[in-house]
Amino acid sequence: MGILAIGVSLALLMFLAYRGITVLLLAPLMAALAVVLSGELALLLPYYTETFMPALGGYVLSFLPVFLLGALFGQLMADSGAAYTLSRWILRVIGQRHAVLVIVVACALLTYGGVSLFVVAFAIYPIAKDLFRSANIPKRLIPAAIALGSFTFTMTAMPGTPAIQNAIPIPYFGTNAFAAPGLGLIGSAIILLGGLWWLHTRVAAARAAGEGFGEHRVAELEESSALQPADAQATREMPVFLALLPLVLVVAVNAVFTFAVFPSMDWSFLTPSYPAFNPSGRVGLWALIIALTVACATLMLVRLGHWTDLKASVNKGVFGFMLPLFNTASEVGYGAVIASLAGFLVIRDAVLNLAPGNPLISEAIAMNVLSGITGSSSGGLSIALQALGADYLAMAEAAGISPDLLHRVAVMAAGGMDTLPHCGAIITLLAICKLTHRQSYLNIAAVTMLFPLLALVAVIVLGTLFGSF
């Protein structure tokens, strides 16, 4: 009954999330359903106050600054005109003839620099629409091009990426954002080159069939009527070097503190105040927080006198972090309740024993399954690490596997099956592009699942043979 209860709860969570019900409400309700179906009705309220809420609160305490600063930075990049400037600059450099490559590179540069994938989708879509129309490429391929640049290698594989997915394993494994950089670069190349090959074959097939951009007049009228005054400031250009500077700072400052400043420090001065302090589980997050803070401050300063309403941009960015943070934290609370049920012990043992000699395989499967169920890479990763992170670390240490390799495999695995049709990011992207699942989802699935999974297999094989590098 315990396993059945968990299965029913997970199935309903996935189905109702796909139907558009917020995870903030679904997570505690589905956790309560699992408890009731497991025959532990008397423990329902204790599970909520002693398990669900502490897990939710602990996640918020750990990751609130990363979510907040990431959302603020993305908003500042959009409202300053930096995102628009960079996308136009990439268009001029690469050329209109390579429309797909322009969009993928523009999205990749912005997301690797720390701009939220949702902000990138809003900022790049108008440029992509004009570019694809000029090149007579089907509009239905725009979501896949944006997804390849935003939802894949810059989110999970590129070393140093400030994406929240890359930050989540840090306190569990004592790693940093640059974990297994060589393997991450190899995985990124597989995803990027495979995705570009797929999109170019789709463009060629469309041209051979005589398919052009298509008729989308109704959707474009809706886009024009929905245009807000704030969009005008987001489409102003600025000097390219100033638009690039904040992105460079995010990666560079993160690297300096990760590899130079923090490793050279003696943390013994913290012992009197924080006797249980473990720097290995914190300095990776600290480096990311400092990098995002420096980038936000720099962007505000270099654009002084050019902001339409800096206060409004800051407020919008700060307010924008709350829903993603609490959605993910609520899923973590759900995962904590599930992990504490008796039926989960059977599931945990089965997952951990999938490949007893190589925990990377078990980890990859667990992250993929949970990310697919929740429709969220960060949500699935958080649930899995909350329940199994300590087990995987112990197994890795026993097998002589580096925590850095464990980190990279976990993050890349979370970015495999997360983009199933009920994924919130996919639903939002299609809404932005005024397209449907039927029109665009097959190509989105190819670039966000097929090639990321191939890259994950390659990283596991190389990591098993040669270790972390």
Side-chain angles (χ1 to χ4, degrees):
M1 278 302 295
I3 296 174
L4 179 62
I6 293 172
V8 170
S9 170
L10 285 172
L12 281 173
L13 176 67
M14 182 168 63
F15 173 74
L16 294 173
Y18 176 69
R19 302 294 295 179
I21 299 176
T22 175
V23 174
L24 282 172
L25 180 62
L26 277 181
L29 287 178
M30 292 304 102
L33 178 64
V35 171
V36 172
L37 293 179
S38 296
E40 301 185 40
L41 178 60
L43 297 176
L44 180 60
L45 291 178
Y47 265 119
Y48 181 72
T49 58
E50 308 306 314
T51 303
F52 184 92
M53 289 307 298
L56 181 152
Y59 187 88
V60 171
L61 287 174
S62 294
F63 294 105
L64 184 147
V66 177
F67 273 89
L68 188 154
L69 291 169
L72 174 59
F73 180 61
Q75 193 65 49
L76 293 175
M77 284 291 293
D79 289 355
S80 66
Y84 179 81
T85 296
L86 289 173
S87 57
R88 286 294 179 186
W89 173 66
I90 293 168
L91 174 58
R92 290 193 294 269
V93 171
I94 298 178
Q96 187 171 344
R97 199 162 51 93
H98 305 287
V100 171
L101 181 60
V102 167
I103 298 307
V104 172
V105 171
C107 292
L109 179 63
L110 290 169
T111 49
Y112 185 59
V115 182
S116 160
L117 56 89
F118 296 106
V119 173
V120 170
F122 276 109
I124 296 297
Y125 169 64
I127 298 168
K129 183 183 68 176
D130 293 341
L131 194 56
F132 275 48
R133 183 192 285 112
S134 299
N136 205 30
I137 297 173
K139 182 185 177 184
R140 61 183 174 82
L141 295 177
I142 290 178
I146 293 176
L148 175 59
S150 303
F151 300 2
T152 59
F153 63 100
T154 58
M155 185 178 78
T156 63
M158 282 293 288
T161 174
I164 188 61
Q165 290 80 359
N166 197 36
I168 288 171
I170 292 174
Y172 295 97
F173 298 149
T175 49
N176 59 62
F178 293 88
L183 290 169
L185 288 172
I186 291 171
S188 297
I190 293 171
I191 297 169
L192 174 60
L193 296 176
L196 286 173
W197 170 81
W198 176 273
L199 290 174
H200 281 116
T201 61
R202 298 306 91 204
V203 171
R207 284 177 175 159
E211 180 185 0
F213 181 77
E215 291 293 329
H216 303 279
R217 291 177 182 172
V218 174
E220 287 172 9
L221 285 173
E222 291 175 0
E223 291 165 16
S224 299
S225 64
L227 193 64
Q228 299 296 321
D231 293 329
Q233 69 175 1
T235 55
R236 295 177 307 175
E237 291 209 42
M238 59 190 286
V240 173
F241 77 93
L242 287 181
L244 275 171
L245 179 60
L247 304 186
V248 173
L249 285 174
V250 170
V251 179
V253 172
N254 188 1
V256 168
F257 277 88
T258 296
F259 296 113
V261 177
F262 287 149
S264 66
M265 291 182 65
D266 179 5
W267 299 102
S268 59
F269 71 95
L270 288 175
T271 303
S273 301
Y274 304 98
F277 174 72
N278 178 14
S280 65
R282 288 288 177 262
V283 294
L285 287 175
W286 289 355
L288 191 53
I289 290 168
I290 293 170
L292 287 169
T293 301
V294 169
C296 288
T298 300
L299 189 52
M300 285 189 277
L301 288 173
V302 298
R303 296 303 286 164
L304 281 179
H306 297 277
W307 294 97
T308 301
D309 190 341
L310 178 57
K311 183 177 73 174
S313 295
V314 170
N315 287 343
K316 187 175 181 182
V318 171
F319 294 151
F321 91 95
M322 295 181 192
L323 185 59
L325 172 62
F326 281 95
N327 272 341
T328 308
S330 192
E331 289 174 338
V332 170
Y334 169 82
V337 172
I338 296 298
S340 64
L341 297 175
F344 183 78
L345 295 177
V346 179
I347 298 172
R348 185 195 66 184
D349 291 342
V351 170
L352 293 176
N353 291 321
L354 284 171
N358 191 344
L360 298 176
I361 297 174
S362 168
E363 181 186 48
I365 293 172
M367 303 299 166
N368 262 298
V369 170
L370 284 169
S371 294
I373 288 171
T374 59
S376 165
S377 54
S378 59
L381 184 61
S382 299
I383 290 172
L385 290 179
Q386 179 83 15
L388 302 171
D391 294 308
Y392 283 128
L393 185 58
M395 292 170 67
E397 290 173 348
I401 295 174
S402 166
D404 285 351
L405 178 56
L406 207 62
H407 174 127
R408 189 55 54 209
V409 168
V411 180
M412 290 184 65
M417 300 298 292
D418 61 317
T419 48
L420 288 171
H422 63 288
C423 170
I426 298 302
I427 293 169
T428 301
L429 175 61
L430 289 172
I432 291 170
C433 297
K434 301 294 189 296
L435 292 166
T436 65
H437 280 77
R438 183 174 182 179
Q439 291 170 305
S440 297
Y441 182 71
L442 175 62
N443 293 300
I444 295 174
V447 300
T448 61
M449 288 196 286
L450 174 60
F451 298 106
L453 288 173
L454 290 175
L456 175 63
V457 171
V459 166
I460 291 174
V461 171
L462 291 172
T464 301
L465 293 175
F466 304 108
S468 178
F469 61 89

